[in-house]
Structures are given as C-alpha cells and as structure tokens.
Amino acid sequence: MGDPLEVLLLRGEGERIVMGPDLRAGQHVQFLIPGNTFHTARIIGTRQWFLGGSTEWPGVLPEDVEIGMGKMDELAAKFPKVAADIRSFPLPAK
C-alpha cells in the first residue's frame, strides 16, 4: 500500500533496494538488512506515504545500535561511490 520505500544500504560500495509491491520491477516486500550496515530510507512516489514496519531481531542490545545521524561526512568519505546519495536523503526529524 502507499508508495515504495527506497532504502540506501551502506555496505560494500553501497547499494539501493526498493521496498514495495511490484515484484516484477525488482521491489521487495521483505528484506533483511545485515548487521553492521548503516541504512536510511525515503519514500519515493507521488502519494508520499508508505505502510511498512521494521523489527530488530531478539538479542539486539542498545550498545549494538549506532545512530548515523550527524555522521554524514564520515559516511560519505567511507562510501564515496554513493556520497551524493547519502547527502540527498533527508535527515530524520528530531
């Protein structure tokens, strides 16, 4: 339902996946983000809403999670091939 969600995964050289119902177009209805992967997402489309959820597996402790907000320059330097993408994603509301 709603619009697709574009997810930027910061692993390897960086990659994008799209969450949504159009499997023929390569969209995913479910996707596992591996540990040690910074990620961010944005809604793409015209309606500007996405119906979805995110769950951390049992056993994830607060010290296992690192927030990337405020580290845009550091992440852009570490992933230069997607640096422009990193900077184009909106910052979360505080």
Side-chain angles (χ1 to χ4, degrees):
M1 298 186 71
D3 288 322
L5 186 72
E6 179 184 27
V7 182
L8 179 63
L9 304 167
L10 299 181
R11 63 179 182 169
E13 293 184 357
E15 74 180 278
R16 277 193 215 124
I17 63 116
V18 177
M19 303 291 301
D22 192 350
L23 301 179
R24 288 190 176 115
Q27 295 179 2
H28 299 263
V29 293
Q30 183 175 358
F31 189 83
L32 173 67
I33 298 173
N36 299 315
T37 303
F38 271 107
H39 61 280
T40 188
R42 65 178 161 202
I43 298 169
I44 54 176
T46 57
R47 292 176 280 191
Q48 293 298 297
W49 66 275
F50 173 80
L51 179 61
S54 176
T55 304
E56 294 177 358
W57 287 90
V60 174
L61 302 172
E63 58 267 18
D64 294 333
V65 178
E66 182 178 357
I67 304 299
M69 192 165 71
K71 297 183 178 189
M72 193 175 294
D73 291 334
E74 178 185 331
L75 293 169
K78 188 173 180 179
F79 299 93
K81 289 190 176 186
V82 292
D85 292 328
I86 291 169
R87 291 188 172 98
S88 73
F89 275 73
L91 292 173
K94 291 183 181 181

PDB file of all heavy atoms in Angstrom, residues 69 91-94:
ATOM      1  N   MET A  69      23.092   9.563  12.389  1.00  0.00           N
ATOM      2  CA  MET A  69      22.776  10.988  12.273  1.00  0.00           C
ATOM      3  C   MET A  69      23.957  11.814  12.774  1.00  0.00           C
ATOM      4  O   MET A  69      24.530  11.531  13.819  1.00  0.00           O
ATOM      5  CB  MET A  69      21.520  11.325  13.072  1.00  0.00           C
ATOM      6  CG  MET A  69      20.982  12.690  12.755  1.00  0.00           C
ATOM      7  SD  MET A  69      19.297  12.941  13.336  1.00  0.00           S
ATOM      8  CE  MET A  69      19.532  13.017  15.090  1.00  0.00           C
ATOM      9  N   LEU A  91      17.408  14.228   6.551  1.00  0.00           N
ATOM     10  CA  LEU A  91      17.730  13.914   7.951  1.00  0.00           C
ATOM     11  C   LEU A  91      16.438  13.666   8.704  1.00  0.00           C
ATOM     12  O   LEU A  91      15.423  14.307   8.429  1.00  0.00           O
ATOM     13  CB  LEU A  91      18.497  15.068   8.594  1.00  0.00           C
ATOM     14  CG  LEU A  91      19.913  15.308   8.057  1.00  0.00           C
ATOM     15  CD1 LEU A  91      20.493  16.575   8.662  1.00  0.00           C
ATOM     16  CD2 LEU A  91      20.811  14.118   8.363  1.00  0.00           C
ATOM     17  N   PRO A  92      16.459  12.750   9.670  1.00  0.00           N
ATOM     18  CA  PRO A  92      15.237  12.494  10.432  1.00  0.00           C
ATOM     19  C   PRO A  92      14.868  13.694  11.294  1.00  0.00           C
ATOM     20  O   PRO A  92      15.718  14.483  11.693  1.00  0.00           O
ATOM     21  CB  PRO A  92      15.592  11.285  11.306  1.00  0.00           C
ATOM     22  CG  PRO A  92      17.073  11.240  11.324  1.00  0.00           C
ATOM     23  CD  PRO A  92      17.567  11.908  10.080  1.00  0.00           C
ATOM     24  N   ALA A  93      13.598  13.827  11.570  1.00  0.00           N
ATOM     25  CA  ALA A  93      13.128  14.904  12.445  1.00  0.00           C
ATOM     26  C   ALA A  93      13.605  14.617  13.866  1.00  0.00           C
ATOM     27  O   ALA A  93      13.660  13.471  14.287  1.00  0.00           O
ATOM     28  CB  ALA A  93      11.609  14.981  12.401  1.00  0.00           C
ATOM     29  N   LYS A  94      13.943  15.668  14.580  1.00  0.00           N
ATOM     30  CA  LYS A  94      14.424  15.487  15.960  1.00  0.00           C
ATOM     31  C   LYS A  94      13.284  15.523  16.927  1.00  0.00           C
ATOM     32  O   LYS A  94      12.302  16.112  16.780  1.00  0.00           O
ATOM     33  CB  LYS A  94      15.431  16.579  16.302  1.00  0.00           C
ATOM     34  CG  LYS A  94      16.704  16.424  15.530  1.00  0.00           C
ATOM     35  CD  LYS A  94      17.693  17.492  15.956  1.00  0.00           C
ATOM     36  CE  LYS A  94      18.977  17.356  15.154  1.00  0.00           C
ATOM     37  NZ  LYS A  94      19.959  18.308  15.506  1.00  0.00           N
TER      38      LYS A  94
END
